[in-house]
Amino acid sequence: MKKLLFVSAVLISIAVCAGMTSCKAWRTISTSATYTQVGDSTKTTTTITTKTVEEYQGVKKN
């Protein structure tokens, strides 16, 4: 029953998307870098984290 609902949802999504003239897609990219600096008496760790969200706009060609 769950499989039937999933397949139905996918088919409906494809049908709706096929009838549309454009669509949007998003992609999220996360990166992380860790640096450690060691001195005479100290140890310092720094972590840099970035997150980028890209948006794409597509147009259906005839």
Side-chain angles (χ1 to χ4, degrees), residues 4 7 11 17 22 26-27 38 40 44 47 50 54-56:
L4 178 63
V7 171
L11 291 176
C17 197
S22 67
W26 292 269
R27 178 171 80 159
V38 179
D40 291 338
T44 305
T47 301
T50 62
E54 298 176 350
E55 180 179 330
Y56 300 93

Side-chain angles (χ1 to χ4, degrees), residues 8-56:
S8 297
V10 169
L11 291 176
I12 290 170
S13 298
I14 291 170
V16 167
C17 197
M20 297 175 71
T21 58
S22 67
C23 63
K24 268 188 186 179
W26 292 269
R27 178 171 80 159
T28 303
I29 304 166
S30 298
T31 57
S32 180
T34 302
Y35 302 95
T36 302
Q37 181 179 0
V38 179
D40 291 338
S41 62
T42 62
K43 181 178 178 182
T44 305
T45 302
T46 303
T47 301
I48 300 170
T49 304
T50 62
K51 179 180 176 182
T52 304
V53 178
E54 298 176 350
E55 180 179 330
Y56 300 93

